[in-house]
Structure formats: structure tokens, C-alpha cells
Amino acid sequence: MRVALAVIFVFVTSPSLASEVLRTQTGAIAHWELKAIRLAVHPEARSRQLKAAQIEEAMDAARGSWNELPETRTRLVPLTTSSRPEVYIHFCHKGWPFSASEVGHTEFVADTRTGLVTSASIYINECDYKFVPSDEVAENRFDLQAVLAHEIGHVLGLGHSGVPDSLMFRSTGSAGVRRPRMDDRRGLATVYRLPPPLALPEPAFTPSTAPIPDLEPTPPARVAPPGDILAGMRIQGPKKGSAMIYTGEPTILPPIAQPPPTRKSSRRRPPPSRTSSLPQASELPDP
């Protein structure tokens, strides 16, 4: 009889791979074996900030950014029937139950012996943060498409990357990084035991109609980054055996900051201040 065992995931990084992959305590890589993974917004946890059409547009683009990669061997598809999807997306309504520094959070259940993932949940922190749809950029608001694409990477088995311009970098959340990059592809190839990806051209990024600031990922200024501690909650079923719900590494996504307006130079140039410095665009004003 197959028994779902308690599972705790650890992040493993190889010398040639900056992306972290998720393994159980037995060493099995967390992965899916389904040909298609269905995603849907939970009917009792819909967004209160954006319209349903805007949510669907962001979800469709986030799924497509992973589906177009040759390393993605399982398709991410929308739910088209009344059945339960493999991945539910929840928008926060009554208080964020996770770390206050998290904008997105991912949990899923897997078998500790094989690493086979059976279900997952993505949580979006609308209780503490504001989001914008795919065609907008606003100060102190997060790009929902980028957040969803990042969390889907966790669902597929990826941890965070040490490459700043990768989609799975810890402090990413601007519209400038909406698609997986080469390091994300290498991590995905490791998860699904595929040859390393060739140095093909990166997927083209389609900018929004609004200007996108040139951002440099920085650690949070107001909130200290969390430690490398993973959490899990054991669930006891009606039958023998138990399962552990894995809590993904916190994702810190700094708000999008707008660059200051450019001023025309005056005829008389004032002397420079000793304490002044050029303002730097930041992704901050945040498993």
C-alpha cells in the first residue's frame, strides 16, 4: 500500500547552476509527471483589486512564458471544466497568514520517496500590497504577471536563483522580468532530467505601453530578508499515513519605483552639495 510520507524540501545548488531545485529529505527531486497542470483562481479567493479579465490575461501570459520553453515537459493550462484544478491561486482577503515581507507564496504536496508533486497552491498578498495588470506600470505597485510567473516557477520545482536578471531571483517583481531566462531553464532541465539548454536567444520581452524604469534588484530597506528556514505542516488523513505541506522559500518582491523626472539645466549651474547623491531607482521602497 502506497503511503504519503512526511516531506520536507531543501534547496540544492550545484556549482554550475545558480538556480536552486527542490529535493525531499530522501534526495528525490520535486517534480510533476502530469502532461498538463490546470491552474485556476479559487472561487472564494478572487482578486478585489483587478478585474477578472485582467487576472486571466496575467495568468495566460505567465503560463505561456513557461510553456514556450523546450525544458517544460508538462503544460500549464487553464481550467475548462468544473473539476478541481491541480493548482489553485488565492488572493488574500482577511489577513496574510505568512511573512509580512512576502508578496507571493507557494505551497504544494509531494511524496517524500519519489518527489512526485500532486497539488499546489499559490497565494497573492493583496492584503498588504497593490498590483497592476500586464499593461500598466505604477509606483509602489507590483506587476501581477511577473509575480505569477515567478510563483509558477516554484510550482514546477524551482527555488530561487542567484542570477539577478533571472525570473527566479529572490528580489524580482518588476515588469522587466516576466519570462524565464537561461539560468531558469537550466534549473528546469535539472528538475526534469533533460540535457542542459542550448544558448538559444532568450524569449522576447514585450514591454507594456507605460514606461518601465531601469531597476536594480536590492534587498528590502524596511524589512530584513528572511532566513533560509523552510516550514512545513503535517496533515493526518482519515486513513493511515500522513503528508507534509511544503512551505516555499519566501519571495520578496520590491515595489516598482518610478525614476525622478528629468529637469532642464538652468543657465546658472549651482555648486554641488557635499551630502547630495544621485537617486537610484530601486525595486524597494520587499518564502
Side-chain angles (χ1 to χ4, degrees):
M1 181 178 65
R2 185 173 181 270
V3 179
L5 303 177
V7 58
I8 300 175
F9 287 94
V10 296
F11 295 100
V12 179
T13 305
S14 65
S16 60
L17 182 66
S19 285
E20 299 164 321
V21 297
L22 304 179
R23 295 178 182 268
T24 68
Q25 69 270 35
T26 62
I29 296 178
H31 65 283
W32 296 77
E33 291 185 356
L34 297 175
K35 293 183 178 180
I37 301 173
R38 296 168 298 176
L39 293 86
V41 175
H42 196 282
E44 298 181 1
R46 295 187 174 95
S47 173
R48 295 181 177 181
Q49 297 180 13
L50 303 180
K51 299 178 181 179
Q54 295 173 322
I55 299 296
E56 288 299 326
E57 181 183 7
M59 289 176 57
D60 183 64
R63 289 192 305 262
S65 68
W66 289 101
N67 284 339
E68 65 188 8
L69 301 180
E71 294 77 30
T72 304
R73 293 306 175 91
T74 179
R75 298 291 95 181
L76 300 157
V77 299
L79 183 67
T80 56
T81 64
S82 59
S83 60
R84 180 184 177 90
E86 286 73 38
V87 180
Y88 260 135
I89 299 174
H90 306 254
F91 289 87
C92 177
H93 287 176
K94 299 181 180 180
W96 185 246
F98 312 110
S99 171
S101 63
E102 295 181 69
V103 173
H105 184 96
T106 297
E107 296 181 349
F108 56 88
V109 178
D111 188 285
T112 185
R113 182 178 59 85
T114 64
L116 182 63
V117 180
T118 55
S119 64
S121 296
I122 294 175
Y123 298 88
I124 304 299
N125 188 2
E126 275 195 346
C127 290
D128 302 316
Y129 301 98
K130 302 294 184 181
F131 295 85
V132 292
S134 301
D135 59 348
E136 295 182 16
V137 173
E139 186 176 3
N140 296 329
R141 291 175 182 259
F142 295 96
D143 180 69
L144 180 62
Q145 179 181 330
V147 174
L148 287 174
H150 180 102
E151 296 305 320
I152 289 175
H154 287 316
V155 169
L156 292 174
L158 295 179
H160 286 138
S161 171
V163 179
D165 66 348
S166 66
L167 177 60
M168 298 310 297
F169 188 67
R170 178 192 296 267
S171 298
T172 184
S174 74
V177 185
R178 287 175 167 177
R179 298 175 180 272
R181 304 295 176 86
M182 181 57 72
D183 189 66
D184 305 310
R185 294 176 57 192
R186 292 191 187 100
L188 204 60
T190 300
V191 171
Y192 293 95
R193 301 181 180 182
L194 300 173
L198 299 176
L200 300 176
E202 295 290 342
F205 166 66
T206 303
S208 64
T209 55
I212 298 176
D214 184 14
L215 300 177
E216 217 28 68
T218 57
R222 294 182 293 103
V223 181
D228 295 328
I229 299 177
L230 302 179
M233 179 174 64
R234 183 180 296 238
I235 302 298
Q236 186 71 40
K239 299 181 180 180
K240 293 183 178 180
S242 61
M244 182 76 79
I245 294 181
Y246 158 70
T247 301
E249 185 179 2
T251 299
I252 305 174
L253 306 177
I256 301 173
Q258 293 289 349
T262 303
R263 297 181 179 179
K264 296 182 180 180
S265 59
S266 60
R267 296 180 180 179
R268 186 175 182 180
R269 186 174 182 180
S273 175
R274 296 181 180 179
T275 59
S276 64
S277 60
L278 292 176
Q280 299 295 323
S282 172
E283 289 190 12
L284 277 178
D286 177 279

